[in-house]
């Protein structure tokens, strides 16, 4: 019996697989893979570098194992032999079911996931456990670099059914170590305090100075070292060097000591400047414009600027990739340095094609009209920057960027790719309202600056309130010709009834037709000419001192209540200059618009009108999120000549007005300025024949209206600090803007005779009489403005407080406007 059991055991041993490590070479009759779960057999066999008929050798064994591991699907591999069959026994890597981050405050989940993606630690992919250790160490190094030396990172793997795992990465960030002290050793020329002022890292800052960076950060320290080096080298210390830097910790790991050992050296003066290389035939000019001078102290910033300046200059001539290198020849005997500027312009680069992407609405031809860089011409960095600026000024462009792509195999050709991001190209307004004065009001209008993607501007506006109904159509083609000549026109009709508005009471009907043409002077300057015919009818007038002077020249003595009608032909010229970096919400540059219009001598009314509107944006930070806006608007108009012996005056219908979102915030729309003045006789003397004779004019009563009549002169100014909008990321800066503002200004009447009315008594309920000819009766306000480019167009919300107001003014804390931004 025992012998039979022994023979059975021997037979099992002979037929069982055994490891190849203990086997001799053999020829493969079959290949069998065991342990596959997720990986398909066919996919696994593609990583096996042998096939049936091959001979298994020790070298082939290592090759098979190495190839299977390289597939990243397996974490354990064993090779066995079963007769002439190669048996590959594998254990698959577990699949990542979920990744959880816990305890991370300094690093966002998105940043961590991006880092893991680079190591192929992704949900649904196999988990390579060997990578986790390097990830843990890398994250710890990051925390150490920002002064958190007690930080710890641990990866926890939780097995799940079906060979899956949950991966949790736990963070114990701890507190960052503060800088206990910074020591600079070796400085004699500049004191510690002077050098500390240049550094971003601080120590010993008072509690109220919360802006100081007292936490140690390795990257910030590197930046401070570069800053100190530049500080010295920009002042002539060419040999300055930071010999060593030591960073040590306090025993409790709460404090950091930083010590920098520096060598200041001596001041060096520029003894000579020599330009060598290919100066593209512009030798004398390049030498003249090089911003470096003999006899001056060496200045590293000036040297860098000179290199960049010369590179940009060469770029204007098509040398897009020049190399400008400064080689200093230092003479330590007399502390001088000779600067050798080596210039290699490279090959002149030509533009093969200009491409646009991102413009889903605007046609390529419209964008190409604003590009000064031409296809087939040499590449000019100046032309590209000008093109970008002109595209950015389009109101329907939010962002514009460009890059140049060198063509494979073509050393002298590039493609220029403009990437644009469009934004709403117009505004739509519609509303219904009710007010004590306006009663029922309806408004509707649409303006499209990029009509059907053609770049043409089309607008229609309808307005109806209890006192006015109007309609206006306008059209402008900014590129009527290929040279950039614009052509436009407008037609409008309006009816006005002031009887319910408690202002200068009159009715009017007016229609007008106009056309304009514009000529570009250069990339930033333009001049426009216009001609407008207007037909005006005034009736049901009320009697105000200022308006009667205008009515008198048209009155029919036989029918004094008849309507007043007049026609005019108005010629205008305007100059526009625009260097703004964007069409909407600019943050740098300036814009100016000056206009002058005058009615022709054959018109029924003869007057002129001039205006100046200017804005300047001064960015305070490199990102331009903090910007100062200074703006001003000036206007003046008056009559000229005489008609039928009657001296012409400025029509009151053309008066300037102020107040509201686009002029003086904090005051009701169009309420700032002169009021309508009425003078009423209080007594009459009867004659025997019953004719009434007015009494003494000195007894007349005076009444001033509650609303502004406007004036023929205006001066408005404003100062704004544009700030990042709270709670919104930087990506919203192109659609939402927040600013703190101060507005000041006035509207006045230069022809008003205050002395003729100042001694008269005021009637009951009359506002006080002011000298409406005095420009010094200004108003001012301050507050907060929020502007939003909504799908309906620009919306402006202003919260303001009147600082300086005059009797009778209608101050408003909140104002709202559609379609106008600063």
């Amino acid at each position: 019996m025992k012998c039979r059991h022994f023979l059975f055991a021997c037979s099992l041993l002979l037929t069982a697989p055994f490891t190849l490590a203990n086997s001799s070479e053999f020829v493969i009759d079959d290949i069998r893979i065991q342990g596959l779960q997720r990986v398909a057999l066919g996919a696994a066999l593609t990583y096996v570098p042998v096939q049936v008929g091959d001979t298994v050798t020790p070298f082939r064994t290592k090759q098979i194992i190495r190839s299977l591991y390289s597939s990243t699907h397996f974490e354990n591999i064993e090779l066995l032999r079963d007769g002439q069959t190669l048996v590959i026994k594998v254990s698959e890597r577990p699949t990542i079911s979920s990744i959880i981050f816990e305890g991370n405050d300094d690093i966002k989940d998105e940043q961590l996931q991006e880092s893991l993606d680079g190591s192929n630690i992704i949900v649904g992919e196999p988990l390579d456990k060997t990578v986790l250790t390097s990830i843990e160490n890398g994250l710890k190094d990051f925390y150490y670099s920002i002064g958190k030396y007690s930080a710890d990172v641990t990866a926890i793997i939780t097995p799940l059914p079906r060979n899956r795992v949950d991966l949790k990465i736990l963070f114990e960030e701890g507190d960052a170590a503060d800088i206990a002290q910074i020591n600079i050793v070796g400085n004699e020329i500049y004191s510690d305090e002077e050098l500390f002022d240049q550094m971003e890292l601080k120590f010993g800052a008072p509690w109220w100075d919360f802006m100081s960076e007292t936490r140690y950060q390795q990257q910030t320290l590197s930046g401070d070292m570069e800053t100190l080096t530049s500080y010295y080298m920009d002042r002539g210390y060419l040999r300055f060097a930071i010999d060593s830097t030591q960073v040590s910790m306090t025993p409790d790991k709460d404090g950091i000591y930083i010590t920098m050992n520096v060598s200041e050296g001596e001041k060096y003066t520029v003894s000579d400047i020599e330009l060598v290389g290919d100066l593209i035939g512009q030798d004398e000019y390049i030498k003249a414009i090089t911003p470096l001078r003999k006899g001056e102290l060496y200045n590293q910033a000036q040297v860098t600027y000179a290199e960049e300046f010369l590179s940009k200059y060469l770029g204007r001539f098509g040398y897009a990739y020049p190399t400008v290198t400064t080689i200093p020849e230092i003479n330590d005997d007399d502390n001088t340095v000779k600067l050798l500027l080596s210039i290699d312009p490279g090959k002149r680069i030509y533009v093969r094609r200009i491409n646009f992407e991102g413009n889903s609405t605007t046609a390529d031809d419209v964008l190409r009209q604003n590009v000064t860089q031409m296809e087939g011409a040499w590449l000019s960095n100046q032309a590209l920057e000008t093109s970008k600026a002109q595209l950015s000024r389009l109101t329907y462009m939010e962002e514009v960027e460009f890059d140049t792509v060198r063509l494979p195999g073509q050393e002298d050709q590039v493609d220029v790719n403009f990437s644009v991001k469009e934004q709403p190209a117009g505004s739509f307004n519609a509303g219904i309202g009710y007010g004590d004065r306006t009663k029922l009001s309806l408004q509707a209008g649409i303006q499209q600056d990029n009509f059907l993607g053609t770049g043409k501007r089309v607008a229609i506006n309808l307005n109806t309130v209890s006192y006015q109904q109007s309609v206006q159509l306008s059209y402008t083609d900014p590129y009527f010709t290929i040279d950039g000549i614009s052509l436009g026109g407008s037609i409008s009709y309006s009816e006005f009834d002031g009887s319910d508005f408690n202002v200068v009471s009159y009715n009017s009907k007016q229609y007008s037709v106009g056309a304009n043409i514009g000529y570009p002077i250069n990339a930033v300057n333009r001049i426009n000419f216009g001609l407008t015919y207007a037909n005006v009818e005034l009736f049901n007038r009320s009697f105000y001192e200022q308006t009667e002077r205008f009515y008198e020249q048209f009155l029919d003595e036989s029918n004094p209540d008849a309507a007043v009608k007049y026609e005019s032909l108005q010629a205008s010229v305007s100059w526009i200059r625009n260097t703004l970096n964007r069409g909407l919400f600019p943050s740098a540059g300036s814009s100016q618009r000056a206009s002058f219009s005058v009615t022709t001598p054959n018109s029924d009314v003869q007057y002129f009108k001039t205006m100046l509107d200017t804005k300047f944006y001064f960015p305070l930070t490199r990102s331009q999120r903090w910007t100062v806006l200074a703006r001003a608007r000036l206007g003046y108009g008056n009559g000229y000549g005489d008609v039928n012996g009657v001296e012409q005056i400025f029509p009151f219908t053309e008066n300037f007005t102020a107040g509201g979102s686009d002029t003086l915030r904090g005051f009701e729309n169009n309420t700032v300025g002169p009021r309508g003045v009425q003078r009423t006789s209080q007594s009459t003397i009867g004659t025997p024949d019953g004719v009434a004779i007015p009494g003494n004019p000195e007894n007349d009563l005076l009444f001033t209206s509650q609303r502004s009549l406007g004036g023929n002169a205006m001066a408005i100014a404003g100062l704004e600090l544009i700030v990042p909008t709270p709670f919104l990321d930087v990506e919203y800066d192109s659609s939402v803007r927040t600013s703190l503002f101060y507005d000041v200004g006035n509207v006045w009447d230069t022809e008003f005779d205050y002395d003729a009315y100042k001694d008269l008594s005021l009637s009951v309920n009359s506002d006080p009489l002011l000298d409406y000819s005095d420009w010094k009766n200004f108003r001012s306000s301050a507050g907060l403005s929020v502007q939003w480019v909504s799908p309906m167009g620009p919306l402006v919300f202003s919260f303001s407080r009147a600082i300086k107001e005059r009797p009778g003014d209608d101050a408003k804390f909140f104002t709202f406007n559609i379609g106008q931004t600063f």
Side-chain angles (χ1 to χ4, degrees), residues 666-739:
F667 296 88
E668 181 62 83
N669 290 334
N670 307 322
T671 60
V672 172
R675 309 297 200 241
V677 176
Q678 290 180 328
R679 182 171 182 169
T680 307
S681 177
Q682 292 302 296
S683 61
T684 58
I685 302 174
T687 62
D689 55 3
V691 177
I693 302 176
N696 189 346
E698 294 181 357
N699 297 325
D700 290 351
L701 288 179
L702 203 66
F703 174 80
T704 61
S705 65
Q706 296 181 356
R707 297 287 182 173
S708 172
L709 173 64
N712 69 326
M714 174 184 66
I716 303 291
L719 196 64
E720 293 194 43
L721 174 62
I722 299 169
V723 301
T725 303
F727 312 114
L728 290 183
D729 293 335
V730 64
E731 61 190 81
Y732 294 100
D733 284 355
S734 57
S735 58
V736 180
R737 166 166 286 183
T738 302
S739 62

Side-chain angles (χ1 to χ4, degrees), residues 540-574:
N540 293 338
R541 73 183 189 278
S542 60
F543 295 90
Y544 288 90
E545 293 291 304
Q546 301 100 313
T547 60
E548 282 305 296
R549 293 182 55 208
F550 178 76
Y551 284 128
E552 285 174 357
Q553 56 189 327
F554 300 104
L555 288 182
D556 182 357
E557 294 183 359
S558 63
N559 186 10
D561 295 326
V564 170
K565 299 180 180 179
Y566 59 88
E567 298 178 339
S568 65
L569 186 63
Q570 186 179 77
S572 63
V573 59
S574 62

Side-chain angles (χ1 to χ4, degrees), residues 240 298 392 428 444 474 527 542 614 733 818:
F240 174 83
Y298 176 83
S392 299
F428 169 79
S474 63
I527 188 169
S542 60
T614 182
D733 284 355
I818 298 179

Side-chain angles (χ1 to χ4, degrees), residues 388-401 421 423 578-591 617 623-625 627 722 730 732-737 821-822:
K388 177 183 175 180
Q390 293 187 172
L391 287 170
S392 299
R393 293 187 195 116
L394 298 175
T395 56
Y396 42 89
M397 286 296 145
E398 181 177 333
E399 294 179 4
V400 179
E401 297 294 340
K421 182 179 180 182
Q423 64 184 2
N578 190 341
T579 63
L580 299 176
N581 61 340
R582 284 193 294 270
L584 278 178
F585 292 165
S587 56
S590 67
S591 69
Y617 291 85
S623 65
Q624 298 184 358
R625 300 193 72 194
T627 300
I722 299 169
V730 64
Y732 294 100
D733 284 355
S734 57
S735 58
V736 180
R737 166 166 286 183
T821 63
F822 290 102

Side-chain angles (χ1 to χ4, degrees), residues 590-803:
S590 67
S591 69
Q592 291 77 38
R593 180 184 179 91
S595 63
F596 177 80
S597 59
V598 59
T599 57
T600 57
N602 62 332
S603 300
D604 295 335
V605 289
Q606 296 178 358
Y607 66 91
F608 65 89
K609 194 173 185 179
T610 183
M611 285 192 67
L612 172 64
D613 204 335
T614 182
K615 299 175 184 177
F616 291 90
Y617 291 85
F618 303 98
L620 301 179
T621 60
R622 182 172 296 180
S623 65
Q624 298 184 358
R625 300 193 72 194
W626 293 77
T627 300
V628 172
L629 163 62
R631 62 183 180 88
R633 182 179 298 174
L634 306 175
Y636 177 73
N638 217 328
Y640 75 91
D642 60 79
V643 175
N644 299 327
V646 178
E647 182 182 0
Q648 294 292 287
I649 66 171
F650 195 61
F652 67 89
T653 56
E654 296 291 330
N655 276 349
F656 298 104
T657 59
S661 297
D662 61 341
T663 52
L664 275 172
R665 289 161 286 192
F667 296 88
E668 181 62 83
N669 290 334
N670 307 322
T671 60
V672 172
R675 309 297 200 241
V677 176
Q678 290 180 328
R679 182 171 182 169
T680 307
S681 177
Q682 292 302 296
S683 61
T684 58
I685 302 174
T687 62
D689 55 3
V691 177
I693 302 176
N696 189 346
E698 294 181 357
N699 297 325
D700 290 351
L701 288 179
L702 203 66
F703 174 80
T704 61
S705 65
Q706 296 181 356
R707 297 287 182 173
S708 172
L709 173 64
N712 69 326
M714 174 184 66
I716 303 291
L719 196 64
E720 293 194 43
L721 174 62
I722 299 169
V723 301
T725 303
F727 312 114
L728 290 183
D729 293 335
V730 64
E731 61 190 81
Y732 294 100
D733 284 355
S734 57
S735 58
V736 180
R737 166 166 286 183
T738 302
S739 62
L740 305 173
F741 66 84
Y742 174 77
D743 292 344
V744 61
N746 190 27
V747 173
W748 67 98
D749 183 358
T750 61
E751 302 297 315
F752 184 76
D753 186 4
Y754 177 67
D755 292 336
Y757 308 105
K758 65 179 182 179
D759 296 327
L760 299 180
S761 299
L762 293 174
S763 62
V764 180
N765 297 326
S766 174
D767 287 333
L769 176 70
L770 302 177
D771 185 357
Y772 299 134
S773 66
D774 187 358
W775 64 271
K776 296 187 294 296
N777 287 327
F778 65 87
R779 282 81 165 170
S780 64
S781 63
L784 171 71
S785 175
V786 179
Q787 303 177 53
W788 172 37
V789 181
S790 72
M792 293 189 302
L795 306 181
V796 183
F797 306 87
S798 299
F799 304 87
S800 52
R801 179 181 182 275
I803 298 176

Side-chain angles (χ1 to χ4, degrees), residues 354-367:
I354 297 176
N355 305 308
F356 298 93
E357 61 180 18
N359 52 314
S360 59
T361 301
T362 310
D364 279 11
D365 292 344
V366 175
L367 301 179

Side-chain angles (χ1 to χ4, degrees), residues 3-167:
C3 181
R4 186 181 301 175
H5 288 169
F6 173 76
L7 293 175
F8 178 72
C10 289
S11 65
L12 288 177
L13 181 62
L14 291 174
T15 58
F18 56 89
T19 61
L20 294 184
N22 299 323
S23 68
S24 59
E25 298 179 1
F26 70 98
V27 177
I28 302 173
D29 287 343
D30 191 16
I31 300 175
R32 187 164 68 247
I33 302 180
Q34 299 176 350
L36 294 178
Q37 294 181 356
R38 180 177 50 86
V39 181
L41 176 61
L45 287 173
T46 60
Y47 293 100
V48 179
V50 295
Q51 55 187 352
V52 174
D54 290 344
T55 301
V56 176
T57 65
F59 172 76
R60 283 286 181 87
T61 300
K62 296 178 180 178
Q63 192 178 31
I64 294 170
I65 294 176
R66 186 162 45 244
S67 178
L68 287 170
Y69 271 125
S70 68
S71 70
T72 71
H73 293 302
F74 310 108
E75 65 178 2
N76 188 38
I77 301 168
E78 185 179 2
L79 299 186
L80 305 172
R81 176 182 176 182
D82 185 3
Q84 299 300 108
T85 299
L86 174 62
V87 180
I88 304 174
K89 190 175 182 180
V90 299
S91 176
E92 291 184 1
R93 288 178 176 172
T95 302
I96 302 175
S97 176
S98 64
I99 300 176
I100 301 172
F101 306 109
E102 188 174 302
N104 53 304
D105 293 327
D106 285 339
I107 311 178
K108 294 182 179 179
D109 288 0
E110 294 78 7
Q111 294 174 302
L112 288 170
Q113 189 58 60
E114 288 180 7
S115 177
L116 294 182
D117 289 347
S119 301
N120 203 38
I121 305 296
I122 305 171
V123 173
E125 295 294 325
L127 173 62
D128 185 357
K129 298 178 182 178
T130 61
V131 178
L132 291 180
T133 301
S134 63
I135 292 176
E136 291 174 342
N137 293 333
L139 291 172
K140 289 178 183 178
D141 289 341
F142 165 77
Y143 283 109
Y144 296 163
S145 69
I146 61 174
K148 293 193 172 184
Y149 290 96
S150 59
D152 191 22
V153 180
T154 305
I156 300 175
I157 301 173
T158 304
L160 298 174
R162 301 191 304 277
N163 198 27
R164 297 177 301 123
V165 294
D166 280 341
L167 175 60

